[in-house]
Amino acid sequence: STCAENRATCQAFAPSNYRTFDNTLYNYAGTCPYVLAKDCTLNEFEIQVRENSNSAYDVAIKYKNRATIEVRQTSLVLLAGTLVETF
């Protein structure tokens, strides 16, 4: 079998707004963490977001081996066993 990379976009933006991969818009107010994206087949990654008191988002990324995150023109590659903080 072969593995193909599939690109898709979901977003957490403005206070309490979330756009899913199928372009559906949701508005959730509160400080609970939400699963923004998750690999439901192999369980290799999960991205959680939580709106903080400053109307910004805290992000938690769980992954097994490697994750690549693209933000605008920048790519971050996360490898297992490494800690990355960016502000």
Side-chain angles (χ1 to χ4, degrees), residues 30-78:
T31 57
C32 296
Y34 299 103
V35 175
L36 184 64
K38 181 177 181 176
D39 175 2
C40 294
T41 304
L42 301 173
N43 199 28
E44 297 211 351
F45 78 91
E46 179 175 305
I47 300 173
Q48 295 181 0
V49 295
R50 180 183 62 199
E51 189 173 350
N52 64 33
S53 60
N54 298 324
S55 294
Y57 292 97
D58 297 322
V59 177
I61 302 170
K62 301 175 184 178
Y63 59 94
K64 285 192 176 178
N65 296 312
R66 176 187 171 119
T68 302
I69 302 166
E70 295 180 4
V71 180
R72 294 186 178 89
Q73 309 299 346
T74 303
S75 292
L76 298 171
V77 178
L78 307 177

